[in-house]
Amino acid sequence: MTSLSLLSYPVSAEVIPSVTLKEQFDSNIFQEETDEESDFITVIMADLELTRQGNRLDSSIRYEAQMETFLDHKDLNDWNLYQDFDGSLILKWQKGARLELLENLSYTPEQAESLGQSSVGDVLGEGIQTFRYNSVRNVFGIRFLQPVTPIIT
């Protein structure tokens, strides 16, 4: 942890990278009632988090990306499947009281056509191939916290 001085307020900052590797088996990758095809899927996730803590202000930013590779169905490999950005800003002004500003931005690119098929049991989707286009989701939130001290008698 590194200590910085910003406007005479003590501050600590951290950079936290991480990588996750997962292996999974799917017995029916196309979700078909007949002619089921199975495959092994490797999922790699990379994450980078930056945090800063101070007397009056805490902040954090996290970025996450994920990719999937298929052992037998190489045409389904998706090198840019999911990206996620989280940010928070915490303002502290009284002992224990704080205001949190939360932000989440997610981007999911268009998936391979074969992965967009309707799942088994979807009556409206039988025989119809669905497509999922690029999507961006933005969520903003505000949270106020004020601890309540219990009355001791």
Side-chain angles (χ1 to χ4, degrees):
M1 193 169 311
T2 305
S3 289
L4 305 170
S5 179
L6 180 65
L7 301 175
S8 301
Y9 291 105
V11 173
S12 64
E14 274 188 309
V15 176
I16 308 165
S18 68
V19 176
T20 304
L21 175 67
K22 296 190 310 186
E23 288 294 327
Q24 62 190 49
F25 175 77
D26 191 328
S27 63
N28 189 358
I29 61 174
F30 298 116
Q31 299 181 4
E32 296 286 335
E33 290 185 41
T34 59
D35 299 326
E36 295 177 4
E37 292 188 44
S38 62
D39 205 345
F40 286 93
I41 305 163
T42 301
V43 180
I44 301 172
M45 295 180 289
D47 189 285
L48 180 64
E49 184 174 0
L50 306 167
T51 62
R52 177 207 172 273
Q53 294 181 337
N55 287 339
R56 294 278 186 204
L57 180 68
D58 293 347
S59 58
S60 70
I61 298 173
R62 185 182 60 81
Y63 176 79
E64 175 185 312
Q66 174 177 308
M67 66 180 161
E68 294 182 350
T69 60
F70 290 74
L71 182 64
D72 296 325
H73 297 83
K74 303 282 187 217
D75 56 321
L76 299 179
N77 288 355
D78 197 340
W79 296 99
N80 194 20
L81 179 64
Y82 176 78
Q83 296 180 28
D84 194 30
F85 168 82
D86 284 310
S88 68
L89 190 61
I90 301 173
L91 307 170
K92 301 177 276 187
W93 65 89
Q94 292 179 11
K95 186 175 182 178
R98 62 185 194 258
L99 178 68
E100 297 182 359
L101 306 175
L102 309 167
E103 171 68 24
N104 175 270
L105 179 66
S106 296
Y107 169 71
T108 305
E110 183 176 353
Q111 295 178 348
E113 173 179 323
S114 57
L115 291 179
Q117 294 176 347
S118 297
S119 61
V120 175
D122 181 2
V123 177
L124 297 176
E126 287 183 13
I128 299 173
Q129 184 153 20
T130 59
F131 298 93
R132 180 175 183 181
Y133 296 98
N134 292 343
S135 68
V136 175
R137 186 189 75 208
N138 186 35
V139 178
F140 177 77
I142 298 175
R143 183 168 81 165
F144 174 73
L145 296 104
Q146 174 64 58
V148 178
T149 306
I151 299 173
I152 301 173
T153 58

